[in-house]
Amino acid sequence: MSAKKGLHLTLKIWRQKNSKTKGQFETYKISDVSTDSSFLEMLDILNENIINEGKEPIAFDHDCREGICGMCSLYINGRAHGPDTGITTCQLHMRMFKDGETIVIEPWRSAAFPVIKDLMVDRSAFDRVMAAGGFISVNTSGNTLDANAIPVPKEDADKAMDAAACIGCGACVATCKNGSAMLFVGAKVSQFALLPQGRVEAKRRVLNMVKAMDEEGFGNCSNTGACEVECPKGISLENIARMNREYMAAMVDQG
């Protein structure tokens, strides 16, 4: 039996020294890429070739490589995480590409996500939004209740879990023509708004997180729905609507 033929590809990759310098696309050729390898494994092979040539390898983010951490985020051929659906970049396999194809690889494009180097961006804006209210304060004085002792309707529990599936990769921001983070913030607000444990700080939470989101320079939502389509975890637009309702109720209550 003959061995499976590997892919011969042309890669146009964004290279940028840091956020202060001007970047540009550089073209690389790579041969005999297994269709069974992941996209990040292909980049690993490319970097090994580049290092062997005595040149600086391409910087890109990665961690778990299991679709959990969201660190591997790349813009590939005009789509966040590439030409598949419901996956992160590390879950993208080379079988999705054709022999001889040209693949364009870019970092996230958003003013709130400045480039660190090459394909790596600084997504600490998400961390600051979370620090503004994406948590539940716990009084550990001995008066706390076991969470399992508080009844929660299954429908609410399911919706809260669906919202909590957000991994903060930033595909919603990269895909949105306005660079909006509404899907991310909506998911983080919703996962607590639907549960009794989250109601105590609900008003303060949504006001603080929306304020932090605006201060970070994310754009406004225009309800085109691109964020939901490209979200690797399928976070629903319903979470944006819920966040808006929570925000309006908090504003009215605040007077």
Side-chain angles (χ1 to χ4, degrees):
M1 183 180 293
S2 60
K4 187 184 294 186
K5 181 182 177 182
L7 301 175
H8 297 266
L9 303 166
T10 300
L11 307 175
K12 291 185 66 176
I13 301 177
W14 186 260
R15 302 300 306 264
Q16 186 171 338
K17 187 175 181 180
N18 54 51
S19 61
K20 305 296 183 182
T21 59
K22 185 177 180 180
Q24 70 285 320
F25 282 105
E26 293 187 7
T27 302
Y28 301 88
K29 300 283 187 179
I30 188 168
S31 302
D32 200 26
V33 177
S34 171
T35 54
D36 294 328
S37 63
S38 73
F39 196 85
L40 294 190
E41 288 171 336
M42 180 274 293
L43 289 179
D44 289 337
I45 295 170
L46 176 64
N47 269 344
E48 187 174 345
N49 296 341
I50 292 173
I51 291 170
N52 288 338
E53 293 173 1
K55 300 177 181 178
E56 188 172 5
I58 298 156
F60 64 93
D61 249 332
H62 61 92
D63 191 3
C64 73
R65 299 201 178 200
E66 294 179 346
I68 298 171
C69 71
M71 293 291 291
C72 60
S73 308
L74 295 175
Y75 212 68
I76 303 165
N77 283 353
R79 288 188 65 181
H81 295 301
D84 207 346
T85 55
I87 54 98
T88 53
T89 299
C90 64
Q91 295 173 300
L92 178 65
H93 282 77
M94 297 311 297
R95 67 179 70 97
M96 297 297 298
F97 301 94
K98 298 177 181 178
D99 188 39
E101 187 172 348
T102 296
I103 304 175
V104 181
I105 310 169
E106 305 171 71
W108 284 169
R109 303 290 191 181
S110 171
F113 291 159
V115 171
I116 297 174
K117 185 176 182 181
D118 296 338
L119 302 175
M120 296 175 63
V121 299
D122 180 358
R123 287 176 294 166
S124 60
F126 272 7
D127 296 331
R128 290 187 289 274
V129 172
M130 288 295 289
F135 54 85
I136 292 176
S137 301
V138 179
N139 181 354
T140 56
S141 64
N143 298 319
T144 54
L145 293 174
D146 185 342
N148 293 329
I150 304 173
V152 179
K154 185 179 186 305
E155 183 180 358
D156 290 345
D158 288 345
K159 288 180 179 179
M161 288 297 292
D162 289 343
C166 170
I167 58 176
C169 68
C172 51
V173 176
T175 300
C176 178
K177 62 183 180 181
N178 302 323
S180 172
M182 292 282 276
L183 192 66
F184 166 77
V185 180
K188 298 307 179 183
V189 167
S190 288
Q191 72 184 53
F192 295 127
L194 287 159
L195 300 176
Q197 296 92 335
R199 295 312 307 170
V200 177
E201 298 172 296
K203 291 182 172 62
R204 182 175 64 188
R205 175 183 300 110
V206 70
L207 291 174
N208 289 347
M209 292 185 75
V210 169
K211 180 182 178 184
M213 174 183 69
D214 292 341
E215 289 175 347
E216 292 295 338
F218 291 106
N220 294 319
C221 175
S222 51
N223 291 312
T224 57
C227 54
E228 180 180 343
V229 172
E230 298 296 359
C231 175
K233 300 303 178 182
I235 303 299
S236 172
L237 288 174
E238 291 180 2
N239 293 296
I240 296 178
R242 184 176 296 106
M243 180 185 70
N244 286 335
R245 293 194 298 271
E246 291 283 320
Y247 184 79
M248 291 302 296
M251 288 294 289
V252 170
D253 185 71
Q254 190 180 58

